[in-house]
Structures are given as C-alpha cells and as structure tokens.
C-alpha cells in the first residue's frame, strides 16, 4: 500500500509483469517495422518510463522524439483544448508510432492523431501501456497494447497523481475501500 497526497493505492501490476509485456510488444514492433526506420513519438510526461523501456528492447533502427500535450489534471480527464509542443522532426513520409502511457476516455488521442495525419506521415500507429476499455467515450485504435485495465485510477511507472508517484517501479491502483 502506498499513500500519495490524500489517497491510498494498492499494488496492481508488478515490475516483472510490465517488463514482460514490454518485451513482447518490442519484439512485435521490431518484426513489423524491420527496414522501416520508424519514428516513435512519446507523449510526455506520463509515457517517459514506458517509452524508455520499450525503446531499449527494440532490435531495429528507430528514432524517438518527445512531445507534450495538455489535457489532464487530477483524477479525471478534463475538457481542455489540446496543444502539442516540441515536435522537432518532420514526419512527412515517416512511419510514426505514438507512445502513450494510458488511453482512458480516448479524448486526448482522438483529438491529437488527426493533427498528425495532416502532416502526411506514411503511417501512424499507437502503442499504449494501458487501456481502460470501460472508460472509452472517444474510440481510438490501439495497435500495440500491454494491459487492459478496469476503470480505476492508477499511478506509478511514469503515471502520477497530482505530480507524485511517477517514480514507483510498479503500477498501483486507487484503493476505493474508503475507511470512515
Ligand atoms: P484520455 O481520457 O484523453 O486520457 O484518454 C489520457 C490521459 O489522461 C491521463 N490519465 C491518467 N493518468 N492515472 C494517471 O496517472 C490514470 O488512471 C489516468 N487515466 C488517464 C494520462 O495522462 C493520459 O495520457
Ligand atoms: Mg499522458
């Protein structure tokens, strides 16, 4: 059990489980993208740890770039307008793979992916660590996924609760057995 700010979280996915899934994903991508020199675009902040571990497991030539999107605060997705900052690579004609920590409602990516499509990449695919299928309001196609999880808030392994918890090596789930 860990305490972050005012909330308790219980262990959900171990470091070993995460690493194992990432290895399988990296092997699949390495096979699918042999000789395509894909460009990975990792979405900060949440995906930094996942992006790093996934990238290390690739066995093909690949590039990586990092961007920041703003659309989230606290424990619920907000309706903010999305802007992307920091894309320093021309994606025209490139095979792009987006790296995202978690697809929750799908709102963030369903607004961002069309922006990228306007820049004429050869292809765009999505690699996500986590997906909450029950939370979907804006369906997006996830091409590579490590875990489908219940609709509960999670932290750790790059994901935060109001800024904290990113350094945890495992993923923790909000403990909703509130004691009063
Ligand atoms: P949407 O709803 O647009 O949300 O798919 C995507 C972004 O929301 C954040 N998010 C979370 N962050 N624990 C977190 O730490 C969660 O359970 C969670 N659910 C959504 C995350 O930044 C993601 O990129
Ligand atoms: Mg994120």
């Amino acid at each position: 059990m860990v305490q972050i700010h005012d909330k308790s979280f219980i262990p959900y996915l171990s470091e070993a489980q995460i690493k194992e899934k990432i290895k399988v994903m990296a092997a699949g991508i390495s096979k699918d993208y042999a000789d395509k020199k894909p460009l990975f675009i990792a979405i900060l902040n949440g995906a930094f740890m996942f992006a790093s571990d996934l990238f290390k497991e690739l066995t093909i030539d690949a590039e990586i770039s990092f961007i920041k999107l703003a659309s989230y605060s606290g424990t619920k997705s907000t309706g903010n307008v999305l802007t992307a900052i920091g894309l320093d690579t021309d994606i025209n004609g490139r095979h792009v793979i987006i790296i995202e920590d978690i697809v929750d409602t799908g709102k963030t990516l369903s607004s961002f992916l069309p922006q990228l499509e306007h820049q004429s990449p050869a292809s765009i695919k999505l690699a996500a660590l986590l997906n909450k299928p029950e939370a979907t309001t804006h369906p997006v196609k996830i091409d590579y996924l490590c875990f489908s999880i219940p609709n509960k808030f999670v932290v750790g392994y790059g994901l935060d609760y109001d800024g904290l918890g990113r350094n945890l090596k495992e993923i923790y789930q909000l403990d909703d057995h509130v004691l009063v």
Side-chain angles (χ1 to χ4, degrees):
M1 185 103 120
V2 295
Q3 181 79 22
I4 301 174
H5 297 298
D6 58 332
K7 298 202 190 311
S8 301
F9 293 85
I10 49 177
Y12 180 57
L13 297 169
S14 70
E15 189 180 5
Q17 282 175 297
I18 297 167
K19 294 253 143 113
E20 188 50 44
K21 287 281 188 189
I22 289 175
K23 274 193 181 165
V24 173
M25 181 185 281
I29 292 175
S30 296
K31 184 164 159 277
D32 296 348
Y33 285 82
D35 304 320
K36 286 190 172 153
K37 210 184 278 178
L39 170 65
F40 287 81
I41 299 178
I43 303 182
L44 297 174
N45 294 326
F48 78 98
M49 217 174 262
F50 172 45
S52 166
D53 285 343
L54 178 67
F55 202 71
K56 277 186 285 191
E57 293 293 338
L58 296 171
T59 55
I60 54 169
D61 278 350
E63 293 177 35
I64 189 164
S65 183
F66 297 85
I67 60 162
K68 212 160 178 169
L69 303 175
S71 83
Y72 198 84
S73 67
T75 55
K76 271 192 188 147
S77 285
T78 56
N80 300 348
V81 177
L82 250 188
T83 47
I85 314 157
L87 184 57
D88 54 3
T89 312
D90 185 6
I91 69 165
N92 190 314
R94 299 295 305 270
H95 292 284
V96 172
I97 303 171
I98 304 296
I99 305 182
E100 176 63 306
D101 52 358
I102 180 165
V103 180
D104 189 315
T105 64
K107 206 168 174 206
T108 307
L109 287 171
S110 64
S111 136
F112 177 59
L113 292 178
Q115 292 184 34
L116 278 188
E117 270 151 20
H118 277 135
Q119 300 175 42
S120 308
S123 65
I124 302 183
K125 294 221 167 167
L126 171 60
L129 177 68
L130 305 170
N131 179 37
K132 293 180 182 171
E134 297 156 19
T136 309
T137 58
H138 297 66
V140 285
K141 183 165 178 267
I142 304 176
D143 302 284
Y144 302 96
L145 177 68
C146 289
F147 302 96
S148 259
I149 65 168
N151 192 7
K152 287 189 180 179
F153 192 77
V154 287
V155 293
Y157 195 70
L159 293 123
D160 72 306
Y161 168 43
D162 280 349
L164 298 182
R166 295 193 197 275
N167 53 314
L168 297 166
K169 291 190 175 81
E170 313 79 17
I171 291 175
Y172 290 74
Q173 194 175 57
L174 181 65
D175 182 8
D176 42 21
H177 296 93
V178 183
L179 302 172
V180 201

